Amino acid sequence: MAKNLRELVECGTVRIAQLPKKNELSPASLDSLDGYTVPLIAHDYGAKTPVMWNTVYRTLGLNLRNVMVVGDPENAKEILETFREDPKYLGGGAGVGFKEVVIPYLDETVPSDLKAVNIIVKREGRLVGYNTDSKGLYLSVREALKKTGKNVGESRVAIFGAGGVAKEFARELAFHGVKRIVLINRTFRKAVAIAHELNEKYGRDVAYAISEDMTRGAVLNTIEKLDAIVNCTDKGSDGPLVQMSAFAPADPKFNNTHSIDVLRLLKQWNPEVVIVDIVLPKNGRSITLRHAESAGLENLVDGIPMVINQAAPAYKLVESAHPEVHAKTLPESEILKIMKEAAQ
């Protein structure tokens, strides 16, 4: 088994991601660092994490690096066992493809019932998982709703997806008293499971599930208009789904046509709806948001606000666990400012 990150790269278990900015370095240069944070992703894309974290490290004069790597989630156990033994590994992200699969190989999650993690912190040799994605996305949606004159408590929110981010985001919405959550997913049973959990926990019909095949009806329901629609799937992200919109099933024959049709009708019947897409493809705006913009919808939000909002608390979690390599610190609000400027 590899003993550290450098050996994981050199043996080919992971590779340094090429698309994110400020992620370039040679494996040999890892030896001269005091430590590193390592976000794991299943496929390469233009993530903002390296530029944000490395800008903070540079601003504070710390001999640390954030190194995003691409790996196979099937190798999660081997990768995490190496990180647990690697003295320079401080923690890092669990990105696309890793948010759920890493959980069995962690020593603990906080809280203990987390369904997905986005940040792993090594504390005294133990790997502890947290989720700051859900809070970051919630803050992004709350701010977007506020601009349209709505608050969370009176809002109806549809979520595309039932995986990592979607699960915890739905929990966050329910915790903050959202009026209704509509979960739209290809695998219907996963959406049903989340809805059942939330309804049981809060003692009311706060959530219900709809199959992806019924996306059109769910989005255009004029009886119960949606205030926000949030894409938490991989549709539109770099890889095989980059040309797939969230507003239709992922069939290359009709996805785009059906998506544009739905969005044009949505513009007529619900023009104030907020549309949020968390994917950040390398070619700029996602196809979901491009379709929405072409249809004339205006309240559009990409994944950058979520990425920024989740990153600062994640950074502070790592910092608190490793004061020995963080000689200089700043309040979370100042970290957030630096990261926001770097990401934009």
Side-chain angles (χ1 to χ4, degrees):
M1 186 182 78
K3 298 178 182 178
N4 52 42
L5 176 59
R6 178 176 177 176
E7 291 187 8
L8 280 175
V9 174
E10 290 178 340
C11 74
T13 303
V14 301
R15 59 184 174 86
I16 297 172
Q18 299 297 304
L19 296 179
K21 293 182 179 180
K22 303 295 182 183
N23 200 54
E24 310 87 359
L25 83 167
S26 67
S29 66
L30 294 169
D31 296 342
S32 63
L33 297 172
D34 293 334
Y36 35 72
T37 45
V38 188
L40 287 166
I41 55 175
H43 62 80
D44 207 343
Y45 68 101
K48 301 290 183 181
T49 300
V51 69
M52 291 193 299
W53 286 62
N54 287 325
T55 299
V56 174
Y57 292 152
R58 186 178 66 252
T59 301
L60 298 181
L62 304 176
N63 187 31
L64 305 174
R65 280 294 303 266
N66 184 277
V67 187
M68 180 166 276
V69 299
V70 182
D72 187 339
E74 291 189 2
N75 295 327
K77 181 179 181 181
E78 176 188 352
I79 294 169
L80 291 180
E81 285 179 352
T82 297
F83 286 165
R84 188 179 281 106
E85 301 302 320
D86 185 346
K88 293 191 177 184
Y89 175 78
L90 310 177
V96 58
F98 282 91
K99 294 178 183 295
E100 297 169 89
V101 300
V102 297
I103 290 179
Y105 311 118
L106 300 177
D107 298 295
E108 180 185 0
T109 64
V110 179
S112 60
D113 63 343
L114 273 184
K115 304 297 184 184
V117 305
N118 72 291
I119 184 69
I120 301 168
V121 180
K122 185 155 78 171
R123 293 183 179 275
E124 299 178 347
R126 302 176 72 249
L127 301 183
V128 184
Y130 302 84
N131 189 300
T132 60
D133 270 345
S134 55
K135 181 179 179 181
L137 182 53
Y138 168 76
L139 292 173
S140 301
V141 173
R142 186 184 70 176
E143 184 62 26
L145 286 169
K146 184 177 179 181
K147 290 178 180 178
T148 68
K150 298 284 182 67
N151 61 57
V152 172
E154 64 183 359
S155 297
R156 302 174 179 87
V157 181
I159 302 173
F160 289 125
V165 177
K167 287 181 182 178
E168 298 304 328
F169 176 53
R171 286 178 163 189
E172 194 79 21
L173 284 173
F175 174 78
H176 287 281
V178 71
K179 188 171 184 177
R180 183 79 72 182
I181 301 169
V182 183
L183 294 149
I184 305 168
N185 195 54
R186 179 176 61 85
T187 307
F188 182 54
R189 60 180 175 78
K190 290 185 177 180
V192 170
I194 297 172
H196 178 72
E197 174 198 322
L198 296 177
N199 293 338
E200 285 283 304
K201 182 172 183 178
Y202 291 96
R204 63 186 180 95
D205 291 333
V206 64
Y208 63 92
I210 290 178
S211 169
E212 183 187 58
D213 294 336
M214 300 175 66
T215 296
R216 179 189 177 97
V219 169
L220 300 178
N221 187 339
T222 56
I223 298 173
E224 192 172 67
K225 285 187 176 179
L226 296 169
D227 300 293
I229 302 170
V230 184
N231 178 36
C232 294
T233 73
D234 286 341
K235 288 180 182 174
S237 62
D238 292 323
L241 300 180
V242 69
Q243 292 302 319
M244 296 292 163
S245 166
F247 281 88
D251 187 322
K253 294 180 180 179
F254 61 76
N255 173 273
N256 281 206
T257 302
H258 284 203
S259 171
I260 292 170
D261 179 47
V262 168
L263 285 160
R264 284 175 178 168
L265 290 172
L266 187 61
K267 165 63 177 176
Q268 295 177 26
W269 298 343
N270 192 5
E272 296 301 313
V273 66
V274 171
I275 298 177
V276 181
D277 190 359
I278 68 171
V279 303
L280 291 168
K282 63 183 179 181
N283 60 352
R285 207 163 221 193
S286 71
I287 193 166
T288 297
L289 293 183
R290 282 187 277 133
H291 282 176
E293 187 174 41
S294 69
L297 290 159
E298 298 180 354
N299 299 318
L300 311 180
V301 181
D302 64 18
I304 292 177
M306 184 196 82
V307 170
I308 296 170
N309 286 330
Q310 64 80 24
Y315 179 94
K316 296 299 285 186
L317 284 169
V318 175
E319 178 190 84
S320 68
H322 299 279
E324 71 282 359
V325 294
H326 291 85
K328 187 175 181 180
T329 63
L330 287 173
E332 185 175 316
S333 59
E334 293 300 314
I335 297 295
L336 182 60
K337 288 180 182 178
I338 294 171
M339 288 183 164
K340 184 175 182 179
E341 184 175 341
Q344 296 180 339

